[in-house]
Amino acid sequence: MNSEDSTAPNSQFTFHRIHGSRIRLSNSSKTATRLEAAKFYDNGVVYSALPLSGHAKFVVQAQELAVGWSGSFKIGVILISPEVFKDGFQPPRYSPAMPHSWVWSSLSLHVGQDLKISYGSVNLEDLKKGDKLGMEISREGTLQFLVNDRSQGAAATNVYSTDKLVYGFVDHYGQAVTSTIAEAFVNPFSLQHLCKRKILTGLTSNVSKLEPYLPTPLIAFLADT
């Protein structure tokens, strides 16, 4: 079995050890709870412990919601490791403070820090206990968000366009108190694919323009899909 066929299943998926200051992890780090939810509405971000690669899916189920707050779950992907937050964690709210991110909040999709567009047929503030919220990324890098296994449409088509790692995150904001990982897997890229992507990302010219300067086997390797 090659790495194209190897899948990291649910049992290997947990929330990352780095998270918002009011989050408590339990159930072998598969359940996240925002503490003192009646007093505080924020600092409830959790990340996938594993980066998402190839065909990937990451779904959580709402276990507990609070009354008295506006806002609810937010979900998205970032192209940076949670490890960078270990000294002075600054949890994202509407959009992480970084240029490469896609965040679904309420009925809006936030792309990076600047772009905000309407997204989805479900308002995340209407989620109920037991509802499932998640994301799925195709091998081609198309990201879609899901509510109860129903796609809300393509949110991005270029998630894998750089060589940066991709992590999913869930923000337990406002009404959102507790969630548990319900479904998760990664069917990762092969080593061959990763090498090719690294080379293509570093090229400053189209491969066809470089053909006179590259060995024939390398040209064939880069052209092979």
Side-chain angles (χ1 to χ4, degrees), residues 4-5 35 49 51 89 101 119 129 144 146 164 174 191 224:
E4 291 280 2
D5 301 317
L35 302 176
F89 183 80
S101 60
Y119 178 80
K129 180 179 179 179
Q144 59 180 333
L146 314 168
K164 299 180 183 297
L191 179 59
D224 182 25

Side-chain angles (χ1 to χ4, degrees), residues 161-216:
S161 63
T162 74
D163 59 356
K164 299 180 183 297
L165 294 175
V166 177
Y167 287 84
F169 80 85
V170 179
D171 190 353
H172 299 74
Y173 181 86
Q175 302 171 32
V177 178
T178 302
S179 72
T180 294
I181 297 175
E183 181 183 4
F185 65 79
V186 167
N187 193 343
F189 291 119
S190 66
L191 179 59
Q192 180 183 26
H193 177 97
L194 294 174
C195 289
K196 182 188 302 183
R197 190 172 75 181
K198 186 70 173 179
I199 294 171
L200 291 174
T201 300
L203 290 178
T204 57
S205 301
N206 188 282
V207 174
S208 61
K209 295 181 179 180
L210 297 174
E211 285 186 5
Y213 312 101
L214 297 177
T216 301

Side-chain angles (χ1 to χ4, degrees), residues 47 77-78 85 91-103 110 112-113 169:
Y47 295 94
V77 298
I78 56 170
F85 302 123
R93 289 171 60 178
Y94 290 95
S95 182
M98 56 198 68
H100 300 294
S101 60
W102 293 265
V103 184
H110 300 258
Q113 298 174 336
F169 80 85

Side-chain angles (χ1 to χ4, degrees), residues 50-150:
L50 295 176
L52 306 179
S53 174
H55 180 205
K57 193 173 185 180
F58 188 62
V59 179
V60 300
Q61 185 174 41
Q63 299 288 312
E64 181 183 357
L65 294 103
V67 297
W69 296 113
S70 61
S72 189
F73 286 103
K74 307 177 194 301
I75 189 169
V77 298
I78 56 170
L79 272 60
I80 188 170
S81 170
E83 292 289 343
V84 303
F85 302 123
K86 61 185 177 182
D87 296 320
F89 183 80
Q90 296 291 327
R93 289 171 60 178
Y94 290 95
S95 182
M98 56 198 68
H100 300 294
S101 60
W102 293 265
V103 184
W104 183 20
S105 170
S106 186
L107 281 168
S108 298
L109 178 68
H110 300 258
V111 183
Q113 298 174 336
D114 302 319
L115 181 60
K116 177 181 176 182
I117 57 178
S118 296
Y119 178 80
S121 60
V122 176
N123 188 333
L124 293 184
E125 295 192 28
D126 294 333
L127 292 181
K128 304 289 192 299
K129 180 179 179 179
D131 284 338
K132 294 180 180 179
L133 173 66
M135 65 194 72
E136 186 169 9
I137 308 175
S138 72
R139 300 189 70 80
E140 294 71 35
T142 297
L143 166 69
Q144 59 180 333
F145 293 114
L146 314 168
V147 174
N148 294 325
D149 296 321
R150 176 171 291 184

